[in-house]
Amino acid sequence: MKLQIVLVEPRIPQNTGNIGRLCAATQSALHLIHPLGFTLSQKEIKRAGMDYWEHLELYEWSSLEAFAEAHPFGESHFLLTTKAKRAYFEASLPPSAYLYFGREDAGLPQVLLEAHPQAMLKIPMKEGNRSLNLATATGIVLYEAIRQNYPLF
């Protein structure tokens, strides 16, 4: 069992590179849902991922629909969004959790949030702040899942 990070249409290569490095270090899988705002050959993604990138378990999906067909939405799927009422640390995150994060500029698709309101989680922050950096948010929630399931690796 391993944790699954799902990035839905990420736009900034440095964020994805950092998240790839984080996934490699924690033995988590990274799923990239197209369209991406960059190519995986860009130097920014390689620089951010450094030499960890070759150890990454990476999957690319042509669309959210293609991903959902291969990984049907279930109780181990969690949607990270500022629109949630429940905090990420209030959820029981299983060792096989799928943690979804949306685009840096738009978040997760509204249709996904409306279809699965029970799966929505947020990272609490001071009122008036819009959001956190994607790589930072991923690290926060991923390490909470690891804490809940220690030792994962």
Side-chain angles (χ1 to χ4, degrees), residues 73-81 84 86 91 93 98-100 108 112-113 115-122:
F73 206 93
E75 61 184 39
S76 65
H77 293 239
F78 299 90
L79 308 173
L80 280 297
T81 174
R86 185 168 58 139
L93 303 171
Y98 286 81
L99 305 172
Y100 292 66
L108 289 167
L112 184 63
L113 299 176
H116 306 287
Q118 76 288 350
M120 293 170 44
L121 301 174
K122 70 178 180 179

Side-chain angles (χ1 to χ4, degrees), residues 92-151:
S92 178
L93 303 171
S96 58
Y98 286 81
L99 305 172
Y100 292 66
F101 298 86
R103 289 172 50 156
E104 291 92 338
D105 61 345
L108 289 167
Q110 189 62 33
V111 66
L112 184 63
L113 299 176
E114 289 172 1
H116 306 287
Q118 76 288 350
M120 293 170 44
L121 301 174
K122 70 178 180 179
I123 299 171
M125 55 187 141
K126 180 182 170 202
E127 191 172 326
N129 288 19
R130 285 190 336 238
S131 64
L132 295 173
N133 171 275
L134 180 61
T136 301
T138 302
I140 290 169
V141 180
L142 177 57
Y143 271 94
E144 172 61 14
I146 289 170
R147 185 197 66 78
Q148 288 184 18
N149 295 286
Y150 186 82

Side-chain angles (χ1 to χ4, degrees), residues 30-135:
L30 177 59
H31 300 266
L32 299 179
I33 311 297
H34 285 254
L36 308 179
F38 51 86
T39 64
L40 291 179
S41 62
Q42 280 185 262
K43 67 179 177 181
E44 294 89 354
I45 201 164
K46 291 185 185 221
R47 184 178 303 130
M50 297 179 64
D51 55 345
Y52 294 89
W53 200 254
E54 65 189 53
H55 303 291
L56 175 62
E57 185 177 335
L58 176 65
Y59 302 94
E60 290 184 73
W61 302 91
S62 60
S63 66
L64 191 53
E65 293 76 19
F67 176 80
E69 190 174 309
H71 303 279
F73 206 93
E75 61 184 39
S76 65
H77 293 239
F78 299 90
L79 308 173
L80 280 297
T81 174
T82 58
K83 298 171 182 158
K85 303 231 182 295
R86 185 168 58 139
Y88 71 95
F89 50 78
E90 296 174 325
S92 178
L93 303 171
S96 58
Y98 286 81
L99 305 172
Y100 292 66
F101 298 86
R103 289 172 50 156
E104 291 92 338
D105 61 345
L108 289 167
Q110 189 62 33
V111 66
L112 184 63
L113 299 176
E114 289 172 1
H116 306 287
Q118 76 288 350
M120 293 170 44
L121 301 174
K122 70 178 180 179
I123 299 171
M125 55 187 141
K126 180 182 170 202
E127 191 172 326
N129 288 19
R130 285 190 336 238
S131 64
L132 295 173
N133 171 275
L134 180 61

